[in-house]
Amino acid sequence: PLNFSTRSITGKQAEEAFLELHRDQQFPIHGELVDRTLHGCGYDFEIQQDSHVSAIEVKGLSGLTGGISLTSKEWQIAKNMGPDYYLVIVRSVGNGPDFQIIKDPFSKLDPKRTISTVIQVRWNVGGKGLTDIE
C-alpha cells in the first residue's frame, strides 16, 4: 500500500494534469472551472455553466493499472448528483497522463465497501507546558 505522502503527491499531480486538460480542451465539458479541493465537499472541482453545476472528482494512479478509493462522502455525492458527477482517473501521472472519464460513476461502478477502525496515538502539551519553557 502507498503511504499518505505518496498518495498525496500523486493526487496533486493528477489534479494539475486535469486542470491543464480542462484549460486546453474544455474537457469533459465546457464552463468555468472552480477549485473545491480545500472545501471538503465530496469532489475536487466544479464546472459552472450559467446556473448548471457539474462536479469533478480526480483520482491519480502512478502507473497504467491499479484501483482507486472513494470516501463515503465522495460516493454519496456521486449518488446524489448522478450524471452531473464525473470521476476522472489520471493514469501514469507524471509520465504523459492518460485520462479515463466516467460520467455518473454511481450508476456504472460497483465498489467494495470497506469499514476500518484506526488507532491513532497523540502527544499533547497543555498551555502550561508551553509557557513554562525557559
Side-chain angles (χ1 to χ4, degrees):
L2 294 174
N3 64 33
F4 177 77
S5 62
T6 304
R7 291 178 68 170
S8 180
I9 291 167
T10 302
K12 198 51 138 166
Q13 289 175 331
E15 290 166 3
E16 289 168 5
F18 172 74
L19 286 171
E20 191 174 313
L21 174 73
H22 190 266
R23 183 188 67 234
D24 294 347
Q25 299 180 26
Q26 289 285 300
F27 197 73
I29 53 175
H30 311 249
E32 179 186 351
L33 190 67
V34 179
D35 189 333
R36 296 288 186 215
T37 55
L38 300 178
H39 296 153
C41 55
Y43 51 87
D44 296 312
F45 301 99
E46 284 177 356
I47 298 178
Q48 299 175 350
Q49 306 165 304
D50 300 320
S51 62
H52 185 82
V53 174
S54 295
I56 310 291
E57 176 59 29
V58 178
K59 299 291 183 182
L61 297 172
S62 58
L64 287 173
T65 61
I68 60 162
S69 292
L70 296 160
T71 66
S72 195
K73 185 169 198 169
E74 290 164 351
W75 193 238
Q76 185 61 50
I77 298 297
K79 177 182 180 182
N80 294 347
M81 293 189 73
D84 292 324
Y85 193 99
Y86 293 79
L87 176 61
V88 177
I89 300 170
V90 185
R91 299 175 196 282
S92 294
V93 168
N95 296 318
D98 180 54
F99 297 91
Q100 178 182 9
I101 297 176
I102 303 169
K103 182 178 182 174
D104 193 6
F106 187 84
S107 72
K108 294 177 179 157
L109 300 178
D110 186 23
K112 178 183 172 201
R113 184 174 77 156
T114 303
I115 300 171
S116 57
T117 302
V118 177
I119 296 173
Q120 183 173 5
V121 177
R122 294 181 186 246
W123 299 80
N124 298 303
V125 177
K128 185 166 174 35
L130 295 174
T131 57
D132 288 349
I133 297 175
E134 293 181 21

